[in-house]
Amino acid sequence: MCIVPMMSLAQNYKSSAWCPDNGDGTYTNPVINADYSDPDVIAVGEDYYLTASSFASMPGLPILHSKDMVNWQIINYALQSQFPDSEVPQHGNGVWAPCIRYHNGEFYIYWGDPDNGVMMVKTKDPYGKWDAPVCVIPGKGMIDTTPLWDDDGRCYLANGWAGSRSGFNSVLTVRELSADGTRAIGNPVIVFDGNNTNHTAEGPKFYKRDGWYWIMCPAGGVETGWQLAMRSKSPYGPYECKTVMAQGNTAINGPHQGGWVHTAFGEDWFMHFQDKGCYGRVVHLQPVTWKDNWPVMGAVPKKGYCGEPVLTHAKPKTAAPVAICNPVESDEFNTTQLGLQWQWAGDYNQVYGMPTADGFFRLYCYKLGTKNVPVNLWSDPAMLLQKTPADEFTASAKVRFAAKAEQQYGGIIMMGMDYSALVVKRVGDGFELQQLTCKGADKGKAETATTLATFKPTEVDKIQYAPAIYEDIYLRMKVKDGKCRFAYSSNGKSYKEVGEEFTMREGKWIGAKIGLVAAQPIDIKGNKGFLDVDWFRVGK
């Protein structure tokens, strides 16, 4: 088997589900049609780097790279562990609204963990290993943190506040940090209170331009809000404020928090997210036009400073043409490194699964629930998942399932606060194809199982596999308009649609995710079963 370096595959990957580059010098939003919530972006020379909220998914803090802010590639993760003492996934906790910066030859990412404080990681090489996290300010409620190193070397931190932890929100504060950005040396000062006309002010990004301090932030709520820009001659204000982008007559609701970039070619751009319900929060790119020293985002109005989001636009200037490249979705599992599109539902444990030298990925059945009290998959940290890549797509997997005991199962899943999975389950001495569906998984509701087909076991290798297995089955989900339908095939060519249509639902602060699951009741004795995945392919 030919082993192809993973990075070379990623550099040449063009998605058939969604590609924003129109090939004629223009792009169509969203530039990333996947759930990269709270995106932040920086320019380092002619290169752009983006990170986004990852909450409890692991690895966390994704790092994406681009040469034009339209064609993006996943290159790394900055965080490898977050909840080492908790096997149950910490849905909705962890990394909230990170901010990436470049200072004195190093890359920094700050974020607010609403339960633990302001956190930071850094590195000199964004493709390499990032340092262990540092707690810059311990405490609850601080979110959406963004540092600013001033011209004199002093460092300031702006942040929002989570009402669920602090008891108040819609205010932004600024305080001084040590010059190395590792600890607070000043107390917070409220520089903006949006509780009246700009409720839910959050997600600030802190900048300096031509002697002015700028805070750019969203207000009004994720689904219905607008973008604010505020300026002052002092980091502590007072700030004057204007609305610089709102949905207006467009179909782009929100538009919510993001980051401003001034490029090496003298252009200004703003990246933000749009909330698309079960698909999560996708990333848009807007031109920025300075008008009377105010950054108008998107299409410039004839009067005033409030722009509207653009759907298509000329691409940012570059020194040379940029090849089309999209975040990877499909995986042949032909390398010994797991593709960067994948994240675990919780902190990774090596017994969940691992790549093999034989060109497939092995996922072991996670022991689910407590003795005699089965629970649903909301408590399963061992699901291998990735973001949905478009509004309409198909995801297929060629799998082989080995069962050591009854009730062990494995297959594909659409995961959220409601979920549905198409799995092969050992029942007696045979196998059943089942659809597992749960509505209200986050509330502890029980799942239902519907038998769709039955199979006889195939005994191929009683030493390596179990005495009863079902091998080489193809499982597929087809997604359109927030609905998911399942199908299966015995030859990978002719698929039979099975089961009930499933209405997708987002997770906790994230979009629904697609991927792989293998599980079993906790009271099953003996060795775990396992799912061997030959490939996972995403297309139109």
Side-chain angles (χ1 to χ4, degrees):
M1 177 176 293
C2 177
I3 303 298
V4 180
M6 182 172 58
M7 190 60 71
S8 66
L9 288 172
Q11 289 172 342
N12 298 312
Y13 188 84
K14 180 179 179 180
S15 172
S16 62
W18 181 261
C19 179
D21 193 323
N22 297 324
D24 60 0
T26 68
Y27 68 90
T28 298
N29 275 316
V31 290
I32 306 177
N33 202 5
D35 182 39
Y36 286 90
S37 179
D38 313 312
D40 192 36
V41 61
I42 56 170
V44 181
E46 297 178 12
D47 295 276
Y48 304 97
Y49 298 91
L50 180 146
T51 191
S53 293
S54 51
F55 300 101
S57 299
M58 281 286 112
L61 288 174
I63 310 297
L64 284 77
H65 171 262
S66 177
K67 296 293 287 188
D68 62 1
M69 288 185 284
V70 173
N71 293 281
W72 288 94
Q73 173 192 0
I74 311 170
I75 64 168
N76 203 357
Y77 288 88
L79 189 63
Q80 299 301 321
S81 179
Q82 200 168 193
F83 302 104
D85 298 324
S86 176
E87 188 170 348
V88 177
Q90 298 294 304
H91 296 283
N93 297 332
V95 174
W96 284 28
C99 175
I100 186 168
R101 291 293 180 263
Y102 184 71
H103 174 65
N104 284 348
E106 291 188 292
F107 292 83
Y108 292 78
I109 298 178
Y110 285 74
W111 73 95
D113 180 321
D115 297 305
N116 293 293
V118 177
M119 310 297 292
M120 181 268 285
V121 291
K122 65 177 183 175
T123 186
K124 292 183 179 180
D125 178 11
Y127 290 83
K129 184 178 180 181
W130 289 68
D131 293 349
V134 172
C135 184
V136 178
I137 310 172
K140 287 183 178 291
M142 293 169 286
I143 58 171
D144 306 353
T145 55
T146 171
L148 170 66
W149 277 274
D150 210 342
D151 304 329
D152 59 4
R154 296 171 73 176
C155 184
Y156 302 94
L157 185 85
N159 66 274
W161 294 84
S164 59
R165 271 71 165 187
S166 61
F168 60 89
N169 63 2
S170 298
V171 299
L172 309 178
T173 58
V174 171
R175 78 188 79 196
E176 187 170 0
L177 301 183
S178 56
D180 63 0
T182 61
R183 58 188 175 86
I185 61 174
N187 292 320
V189 176
I190 295 177
V191 297
F192 184 75
D193 186 342
N195 277 287
N196 294 322
T197 58
N198 288 294
H199 67 88
T200 324
E202 58 185 357
K205 293 299 190 302
F206 210 0
Y207 308 99
K208 193 174 185 182
R209 175 184 185 270
D210 295 339
W212 289 87
Y213 296 88
W214 288 90
I215 294 177
M216 299 181 189
C217 77
V222 169
E223 297 179 0
T224 58
W226 51 88
Q227 288 291 335
L228 301 176
M230 53 193 78
R231 68 186 184 187
S232 174
K233 283 292 187 177
S234 165
Y236 297 109
Y239 284 86
E240 53 181 322
C241 175
K242 290 189 185 297
T243 301
V244 294
M245 183 168 60
Q247 178 176 353
N249 295 317
T250 75
I252 302 173
N253 64 293
H256 215 69
Q257 108 187 41
W260 162 55
V261 166
H262 180 72
T263 77
F265 304 95
E267 295 182 327
D268 292 276
W269 297 84
F270 187 76
M271 302 195 78
H272 65 91
F273 77 74
Q274 174 198 14
D275 187 288
K276 293 178 69 174
C278 61
Y279 292 105
R281 301 168 179 182
V282 303
V283 183
H284 288 243
L285 176 66
Q286 303 296 336
V288 173
T289 303
W290 289 90
K291 183 179 181 181
D292 301 330
N293 198 31
W294 289 101
V296 179
M297 299 172 180
V300 180
K302 292 181 179 179
K303 295 181 179 180
Y305 305 93
C306 183
E308 291 186 359
V310 299
L311 184 62
T312 62
H313 197 272
K315 292 168 57 179
K317 292 180 181 178
T318 56
V322 176
I324 290 178
C325 177
N326 307 132
V328 171
E329 307 140 348
S330 299
D331 200 335
E332 299 296 314
F333 298 112
N334 283 343
T335 78
T336 55
Q337 297 293 319
L338 188 59
L340 292 174
Q341 66 269 43
W342 297 106
Q343 292 176 292
W344 299 92
D347 271 29
Y348 173 62
N349 185 315
Q350 60 189 1
V351 300
Y352 295 166
M354 58 197 80
T356 73
D358 298 318
F360 57 85
F361 189 89
R362 175 165 295 175
L363 190 66
Y364 286 98
C365 290
Y366 177 75
K367 291 188 174 183
L368 192 67
T370 57
K371 188 173 178 63
N372 299 321
V373 185
V375 295
N376 63 51
L377 290 167
W378 191 251
S379 63
D380 183 356
M383 288 180 288
L384 188 60
L385 305 172
Q386 62 170 285
K387 307 171 192 301
T388 58
D391 297 4
E392 181 179 353
F393 66 92
T394 299
S396 306
K398 180 183 178 183
V399 302
R400 171 182 294 180
F401 183 65
K404 301 288 185 176
E406 281 198 69
Q407 302 304 309
Q408 295 175 339
Y409 65 85
I412 61 174
I413 188 168
M414 174 65 76
M415 184 66 197
M417 289 188 285
D418 298 344
Y419 67 79
S420 193
L422 184 65
V423 302
V424 178
K425 180 184 285 188
R426 168 88 178 272
V427 180
D429 291 330
F431 286 86
E432 293 183 358
L433 184 71
Q434 293 187 355
Q435 182 178 11
L436 308 179
T437 300
C438 183
K439 296 183 178 181
D442 58 316
K443 304 299 184 183
K445 301 297 184 181
E447 68 180 22
T448 60
T450 303
T451 299
L452 308 171
T454 59
F455 307 111
K456 294 181 179 180
T458 307
E459 297 185 355
V460 179
D461 188 338
K462 294 184 178 182
I463 297 176
Q464 183 178 2
Y465 296 107
I469 70 170
Y470 187 80
E471 68 170 0
D472 294 343
I473 186 170
Y474 300 79
L475 306 177
R476 171 172 289 179
M477 66 174 74
K478 187 173 182 61
V479 172
K480 184 178 181 180
D481 299 329
K483 308 288 186 180
C484 177
R485 294 300 304 252
F486 291 109
Y488 79 100
S489 172
S490 60
N491 58 16
K493 299 177 182 178
S494 173
Y495 281 84
K496 180 181 180 180
E497 191 174 277
V498 292
E500 296 293 324
E501 182 178 73
F502 172 70
T503 299
M504 296 161 54
R505 188 181 174 202
E506 64 272 16
K508 185 66 177 294
W509 306 127
I510 64 174
K513 286 191 168 185
I514 59 174
L516 303 161
V517 62
Q520 65 184 60
I522 196 170
D523 53 3
I524 297 295
K525 296 181 180 179
N527 287 339
K528 298 177 180 178
F530 52 86
L531 183 74
D532 283 347
V533 189
D534 190 358
W535 46 255
F536 187 94
R537 295 172 182 166
V538 176
K540 190 69 173 180

